[in-house]
Amino acid sequence: ADVLADFHGEMGGCDTCHVSKKGPTDDNLTHENAQCVSCHGDLNEIAAGEKDLKISPHKSHLIGEIACTSCHKGHEKSVAYCDACHSFDFDMPFGGKWERKFVPIDVQKDAQEKAIAAGPRETTDVVIIGSGGAGLAAAVSARDNGAKVILLEKEPVPGGNTKLAAGGMNAAETKPQAALGIKDKKEIMIQDTMKGGRNINDPELVKVLANNSSDSIDWLTAMGADMNDVGRMGGASVNRSHRPTGGAGVGAHVAQVLWDNAVKRGTDIRLNSRVVRVLKDDSGKVTGVLVEGKYTGYYVIKADAVVMATGGFAKNNDRVAKYDPKLKGFAATNHPGATGDGLDVAMQAGADTRDLEWVQAHPTLSPRGGVMVTEAVRGNGAILVNREGDRFVNEITTRDKASAAILKQKGASAFLVFDDSVRKSLKKIENYVHLGIVDEGKTPEELAKKIGVPGAELAKTIATYNGFVKSGKDTQFERPNLPRELGTAPYYAIEVKPAVHHSMGGVKIDTKTEVKAKDGHLIQGMYAAGEATGGVHGANRLGGNAISDIVTFGRIAGAEAAKYAKEH
Ligand code: FAD
Ligand code: MEZ
């Protein structure tokens, strides 16, 4: 047997897995996955039997109910989805190596035209494209505004980049801030965002972001989210980055809450379903979408309104390098679906774009683990040192500056150095320890030996930094937040280097998330939200502002699309 189908075929033929010999009947592979579970148990049951494994492939941070077929394939080699981001070496039966090729939206033109000519297979009020935070927020709010919703996701697992978000969600004048005695103003969030974005942001969109941010925290909290921990992100002048108590990752939590609420409200969610075209009538009004179902083929859904929540393109290095050649060959922090085909769909439908040349590198990807190490580690007190054992930058400056400073160091990488008090302040750090990317020493000198930097120099650097914390002023690099001394053993280090992280540019929208066409008119029935859009973040996004963006603009997009659908 070469693949799972051969193996199962020996057990009982096609209907061991499929309803009939014709194969899958839906793109979620609902029946096929139920067959896997009926014999092998669900993910929790399988993970319970893997307690001795350091990393259990069946226990993950992914949201929703992960389908067995995300990794285990019937008629091709199985692949571990985790390998798209991590570098685990799972011993998988009938397994192949992870690889992903970008497929343009306009291949198989004949099959596409045939499906369009066949007419709609079904009808709905609102189609949402993308199951990240923007799409799920739009789904919840469109359902709450009375619309029938189909949400389409091209990947086999939902959640996009949102499920990976770590450090926090920025919001000003919130209840959690008040409970912690943090004084903030929406106006300051606007100023920080504009300054971080080098003032090329659309100021009207920035106002919407900041002015709705505390309502968005309340909205999530009312649906069951815990956003009570508040920390600092680069470029913010106040602690305003909200995350679950104890500093757990924000994205998986927010995405799970939105997913649960979208499902509870009866959203029809389809995975393995790529939208390749937004369809319009002769007057330019949206009439629906052309979907490429991975198993069911091309089909048309008729809809009054469409929300593009397709995220960014940081995982598509060819596209990144086209806009910013300096980033050619860089690794990315993103999920595998962040390829930008949603942008192609929007542009094909006539959408205008802006700021595509602004692509952000996140300063701290762990080359050893392939995962991004959250800015919150620095926000909570970690310092950056080079191979000489010296600090070289204000660690919580904006990402463009921190990344550029790291790239100038020997080896074009640096070490995040922190102590046990920082580790205890942020649950997320336990994930990095679990992944084996953290070096540890009982003293700064012992740690220095492990990472190959001069011990006396690292000890001196830490002592000097602790002096700044005591005096409340960093006279070397003007770091504005100095949350704690690094004096509690053990000491830790993670090697880090910049990686492509965020597409600041995207589809042009107005404050109601309506998509603008090249000649400036609004495309009737077309909305967009989240990383797929441009204008909110200008030339450089501040850490924590994307989750704020997707919740606020996703919410608006869902409500506006539902309202439009009702009126048309
Ligand atoms: P996504 O969550 O990426 O979702 C878009 C979805 O659309 C994807 O699932 C994609 O597969 C799907 N899609 C694309 N094209 C199509 C198509 N043609 N048809 C069907 N589906 C399609 N921001 C913060 O503010 N705070 C943080 O702490 C933070 N941490 C981060 C950590 C990491 C590792 C990463 C990668 C990003 C982080 N960000 C953070 C950024 C933030 O997570 C993203 O910008 C944001 O989640 C994007 O949300 P979205 O809904 O717009 O897109
Ligand atoms: O906004 C982000 O991308 C972010 C806060 C990432 C992180 O370092 O956690």
Side-chain angles (χ1 to χ4, degrees):
D2 281 337
V3 292
L4 280 175
D6 296 341
F7 175 67
H8 285 87
E10 286 158 16
M11 285 163 52
C14 302
D15 54 9
T16 311
C17 299
H18 302 297
V19 176
S20 76
K21 284 205 168 45
K22 283 195 186 134
T25 46
D26 72 65
D27 292 303
N28 287 339
L29 299 181
T30 312
H31 178 81
E32 287 73 8
N33 280 291
Q35 301 315 297
C36 307
V37 171
S38 70
C39 289
H40 301 280
D42 65 16
L43 279 187
N44 290 334
E45 287 163 340
I46 299 175
E50 293 174 335
K51 288 220 171 71
D52 294 342
L53 291 183
K54 183 165 160 22
I55 310 253
S56 156
H58 296 100
K59 190 164 178 275
S60 80
H61 54 84
L62 303 177
I63 66 161
E65 267 181 44
I66 304 308
C68 308
T69 50
S70 309
C71 299
H72 303 281
K73 313 285 176 196
H75 300 277
E76 54 192 282
K77 292 249 177 237
S78 299
V79 285
Y81 198 79
C82 315
D83 285 353
C85 298
H86 299 283
S87 43
F88 304 137
D89 205 6
F90 293 127
D91 182 17
M92 193 174 204
F94 311 111
K97 275 273 155 240
W98 172 270
E99 60 178 271
R100 176 67 65 87
K101 264 207 197 101
F102 173 67
V103 184
I105 56 167
D106 55 358
V107 291
Q108 299 182 309
K109 275 215 171 91
D110 288 352
Q112 294 190 358
E113 292 306 330
K114 208 167 141 197
I116 292 171
R121 202 169 81 178
E122 54 207 304
T123 301
T124 190
D125 299 326
V126 176
V127 160
I128 295 170
I129 317 174
S131 70
L136 291 170
V140 170
S141 107
R143 291 292 295 142
D144 283 348
N145 282 278
K148 194 172 152 204
V149 177
I150 298 179
L151 186 148
L152 300 160
E153 166 58 53
K154 66 177 178 166
E155 289 291 302
V157 302
N161 274 344
T162 305
K163 64 181 175 288
L164 307 178
M169 165 173 164
N170 290 350
E173 300 182 32
T174 67
K175 294 185 183 99
Q177 282 179 314
L180 293 165
I182 300 164
K183 293 202 172 19
D184 195 5
K185 286 268 165 246
K186 289 169 180 162
E187 191 48 42
I188 308 177
M189 182 169 166
I190 293 172
Q191 284 162 16
D192 287 346
T193 302
M194 291 298 298
K195 186 173 167 211
R198 300 190 204 156
N199 287 305
I200 69 157
N201 328 43
D202 178 337
E204 294 311 311
L205 295 180
V206 176
K207 278 185 210 155
V208 173
L209 175 82
N211 292 339
N212 288 282
S213 61
S214 55
D215 286 351
S216 286
I217 293 282
D218 290 344
W219 187 67
L220 288 172
T221 307
M223 287 192 290
D226 165 7
M227 303 298 275
N228 288 325
D229 189 285
V230 186
R232 180 80 66 105
M233 290 290 144
S237 41
V238 180
N239 283 17
R240 67 165 70 97
S241 212
H242 297 65
R243 54 203 175 209
T245 305
V250 70
H253 179 62
V254 166
Q256 186 70 56
V257 167
L258 290 171
W259 171 271
D260 289 345
N261 279 277
V263 169
K264 196 164 86 187
R265 284 161 174 75
T267 311
D268 177 346
I269 302 178
R270 303 180 191 179
L271 305 175
N272 300 308
S273 301
R274 184 164 83 132
V275 171
V276 290
R277 216 185 295 182
V278 169
L279 304 169
K280 299 195 298 184
D281 67 14
D282 292 343
S283 73
K285 229 164 64 181
V286 164
T287 58
V289 291
L290 174 62
V291 189
E292 182 190 7
K294 182 159 185 198
Y295 305 101
T296 61
Y298 290 103
Y299 66 97
V300 169
I301 302 176
K302 182 170 178 293
D304 297 316
V306 169
V307 178
M308 304 290 311
T310 48
F313 55 84
K315 196 73 171 182
N316 182 343
N317 194 257
D318 289 341
R319 192 182 290 256
V320 167
K322 190 176 105 194
Y323 295 124
D324 184 350
K326 289 194 301 304
L327 295 173
K328 191 170 174 51
F330 270 56
T333 62
N334 281 209
H335 86 118
T339 52
D341 46 1
L343 196 58
D344 292 335
V345 172
M347 290 196 282
Q348 208 232 17
D352 199 3
T353 57
R354 56 172 290 170
D355 304 335
L356 290 174
E357 67 279 24
W358 296 108
V359 183
Q360 178 175 78
H362 190 286
T364 60
L365 177 97
S366 153
R368 204 194 290 177
V371 289
M372 186 205 77
V373 180
T374 175
E375 198 164 306
V377 182
R378 282 172 283 142
N380 280 19
I383 56 173
L384 279 168
V385 301
N386 57 21
R387 284 185 162 66
E388 286 77 40
D390 297 323
R391 285 177 72 215
F392 53 90
V393 71
N394 156 19
E395 288 82 359
I396 59 156
T397 184
T398 51
R399 291 172 177 177
D400 47 352
K401 291 187 185 133
S403 294
I406 292 173
L407 290 173
K408 278 196 203 127
Q409 308 308 307
K410 201 195 276 172
S413 72
F415 296 96
L416 259 180
V417 172
F418 53 97
D419 73 347
D420 208 48
S421 70
V422 174
R423 175 174 174 177
K424 296 231 158 61
S425 74
L426 195 73
K427 272 190 192 151
K428 186 79 191 162
I429 291 176
E430 298 313 316
N431 297 38
Y432 308 135
V433 174
H434 180 64
L435 289 175
I437 61 172
V438 185
D439 287 305
E440 183 181 327
K442 284 193 218 63
T443 60
E445 288 82 358
E446 190 181 303
L447 178 67
K449 202 166 171 198
K450 290 221 173 119
I451 60 176
V453 309
E457 193 60 24
L458 182 63
K460 193 172 117 203
T461 297
I462 292 176
T464 306
Y465 175 78
N466 287 345
F468 296 152
V469 178
K470 263 198 205 100
S471 69
K473 183 143 185 60
D474 172 6
T475 51
Q476 211 175 2
F477 296 106
E478 306 288 330
R479 174 177 172 147
N481 93 322
L482 298 158
R484 48 176 60 81
E485 286 181 47
L486 303 178
T488 313
Y491 294 84
Y492 305 97
I494 306 177
E495 190 191 358
V496 289
K497 64 190 312 178
V500 188
H501 184 59
H502 193 87
S503 333
M504 262 76 65
V507 175
K508 262 194 199 168
I509 52 167
D510 68 5
T511 53
K512 291 204 264 174
T513 74
E514 294 167 297
V515 173
K516 295 181 183 174
K518 284 223 156 43
D519 62 4
H521 80 268
L522 296 171
I523 302 179
Q524 297 292 295
M526 191 164 172
Y527 299 81
E531 200 174 334
T533 67
V536 179
H537 307 292
N540 177 60
R541 176 175 69 76
L542 292 189
N545 264 358
I547 298 299
S548 204
D549 169 358
I550 61 177
V551 177
T552 290
F553 286 96
R555 209 154 56 97
I556 295 172
E560 290 295 329
K563 201 165 99 192
Y564 176 90
K566 215 176 274 172
E567 290 163 3
H568 289 82

